[in-house]
Amino acid sequence: MSGDSWFTVRWEDEAVALIDQRLLPSEERYLHLRDVEAVALAIEDLVVRGAPAIGCTAALGLALAARTSTADTPEALIADVDVAARRLARTRPTAVNLFWALDRMRTWLANAAAGGASAQVLRDDMLVEATELVDEDIEICRKLGAAGASLVPDNARILTHCNAGALATGGYGTALGVVRAAVEAGRRVSVLADETRPFLQGARLTAWELDRDRIPVEVITDNMAAHFMGTGEVDLVIVGADRVAANGDVANKIGTYGLALLADAHQLPFYVAAPCSTIDPDTPDGGAIPIEERGREEVADFGARPVVPDGVAVRHPAFDVTPAHLVSAIVTERGVARAPFGASLAAMLRPACGSSAGS
Ligand code: MRU
């Protein structure tokens, strides 16, 4: 997994450093971004993607904004950071971790400034706070993985969609974190990775990082999932999430809803793995989750090759919503939540009794 030999996102050489996920698996190249606009464009262009990784990148982006600000008072520094936060908030609307990370960093800055710190101290400490957020994300994924590993039997054949791995988080992954934890617990598993049209996160990214870890993985096109469920070659489905509404409805990469319906039809468990920062208590249900619409070219072109005639329109919702009744369980760093999700997720988000929400 990410760590010694590669990483998804970190602070390096006074810059936000990202592996360029657009180039994987052909090329492992790192970008070092030194201004907030470059960070915002990297999120928009899917250099970095995956809800928790977007949150980590945004936190480091705000630390970058503070470090490059020439403000000499805390008030002026806060104003500069607010401008950066507004720009980063406009990058992608669905992944709630983005807004969670921006809020956490802005709240931290306001509190530290109220405590009397100088602009220079705030600049330095804000970077510490952002790097802690990234480190915590990895730790959270490990706890989530350990909580979910019990759902994975020996010899499990696991179907996953998109990439909810180390590349989508600070490291280790959510859905793939559960896979990794099951492997670390000694279970033999194999993964079927949906290719995930149109950006091919499954074919390019999930396959790349599992192969690096020597975890058996086979790529299938999205329209093969029903076939493999029908032939009995899938034991369970596990996916990540971009936003979980208070009632347990789950927004995730387009195609997830279809998989959940297929899993239901074949009586297979459909698990969602996501940190608590992906649960949005302010969004009552899936209908209130903003769904990002992306551009034509990702659908109309396959790589550099056009596959849709010029002048013919395309549709491109980047996410869909899986209703809670199709979800068998939601795994977080605090345990495994089951229906009724309104109650189990609310308990999970209460710090004092979060651990009692597990089943
Ligand atoms: O468009 P993307 O690649 O950012 O979409 C990512 C997903 O849908 C992931 O499944 C989700 O963010 C969970 S990542 C742990």
Side-chain angles (χ1 to χ4, degrees), residues 246-248 337-350 357:
N247 73 340
R338 293 191 187 265
F341 288 109
S344 60
L345 294 178
M348 217 162 234
L349 292 184
R350 275 199 293 275

Side-chain angles (χ1 to χ4, degrees), residues 15 35 46 55 76 78 99 114 116 141 148 221 226 228 237 251 262 264 293 299 312 356:
D35 63 74
L46 309 182
I78 288 173
F99 307 100
C141 285
T221 59
F228 285 112
V237 179
L262 290 175
D264 187 52
E293 294 269 348
V299 171
V312 174
S356 66

Side-chain angles (χ1 to χ4, degrees), residues 143-144 146-151 178 238-239 244-250 269-276 278-279 323-350 353-359:
K143 284 190 184 151
L144 183 160
S150 59
L151 301 171
V178 173
I238 183 157
V239 297
V244 179
N247 73 340
D249 290 350
V250 174
F270 181 88
Y271 298 124
V272 173
C276 286
T278 305
I279 302 169
H325 71 87
L326 294 174
V327 177
S328 309
I330 299 175
V331 184
T332 80
E333 70 273 27
R334 293 183 176 169
V336 179
R338 293 191 187 265
F341 288 109
S344 60
L345 294 178
M348 217 162 234
L349 292 184
R350 275 199 293 275
C353 29
S355 56
S356 66
S359 65

Side-chain angles (χ1 to χ4, degrees), residues 198-243:
F199 191 61
L200 307 179
Q201 290 95 329
R204 298 187 305 102
L205 308 178
T206 293
W208 181 79
E209 65 169 82
L210 289 181
D211 189 52
R212 292 281 292 238
D213 277 5
R214 302 277 175 267
I215 294 174
V217 57
E218 294 172 308
V219 173
I220 61 173
T221 59
D222 298 341
N223 51 1
M224 294 177 188
H227 168 77
F228 285 112
M229 289 185 189
T231 56
E233 292 174 76
V234 176
D235 296 307
L236 60 100
V237 179
I238 183 157
V239 297
D242 281 78
R243 191 183 300 224

